[in-house]
Amino acid sequence: MEVRAISKGIRLSAQKARPMAREICGLSVEKAIELLQFNVNKGSKCLLKTLDSAVANAETNENADIDELKVQEVWVNEGATLKRVRARSQGRRDMISKRTCHITVVVSDGE
């Protein structure tokens, strides 16, 4: 049984969130939550929220035992980019790209 949770439009670039996603993939949910709680990255907080949502979905919808759940897959995809303009000297401008990402966490009990 696989259960997933998706967070969309998170104001964080996918490049900054992917290293933590690689670390928790394949771990038990208990160890993954512990690892994310004590990490200082902004990406770890977003991943923790999505992982908690996936665990809650598994518990509520599938009556799964939390102790047996493992993080099966984690995807961090690029979302929409907010484009902003910054004024520069001599009437010029620079583009500022404020990137977003979509995080998908899949937990499974091994069946």
Side-chain angles (χ1 to χ4, degrees):
M1 170 237 5
E2 290 182 356
V3 180
R4 69 180 56 199
I6 302 171
S7 298
K8 291 188 175 186
I10 297 172
R11 272 288 295 121
L12 176 75
S13 69
Q15 186 177 1
K16 293 178 183 177
R18 282 188 186 122
M20 285 308 301
R22 286 189 201 107
E23 283 189 35
I24 66 168
C25 194
L27 294 178
S28 68
V29 168
E30 201 173 298
K31 286 186 180 181
I33 289 173
E34 187 176 308
L35 182 69
L36 291 172
Q37 279 179 340
F38 295 108
N39 201 318
V40 295
N41 291 352
K42 183 180 176 183
S44 64
K45 291 179 184 176
C46 299
L47 280 165
L48 180 62
K49 280 186 172 184
T50 311
L51 179 60
D52 285 340
S53 178
V55 170
N57 290 344
E59 185 180 17
T60 304
N61 300 337
E62 303 292 333
N63 296 326
D65 185 18
I66 298 173
D67 298 329
E68 297 176 7
L69 290 176
K70 293 182 82 174
V71 179
Q72 187 173 0
E73 295 176 347
V74 181
W75 299 299
V76 181
N77 299 324
E78 290 183 12
T81 301
L82 305 173
K83 294 180 180 170
R84 301 293 181 256
V85 175
R86 170 178 279 170
R88 303 304 288 181
S89 63
Q90 298 181 359
R92 295 189 179 115
R93 65 182 185 162
D94 274 348
M95 290 298 293
I96 297 174
S97 297
K98 298 189 175 200
R99 302 187 184 275
T100 62
C101 67
H102 306 314
I103 298 175
T104 304
V105 176
V106 179
V107 293
S108 173
D109 61 356
E111 291 182 8

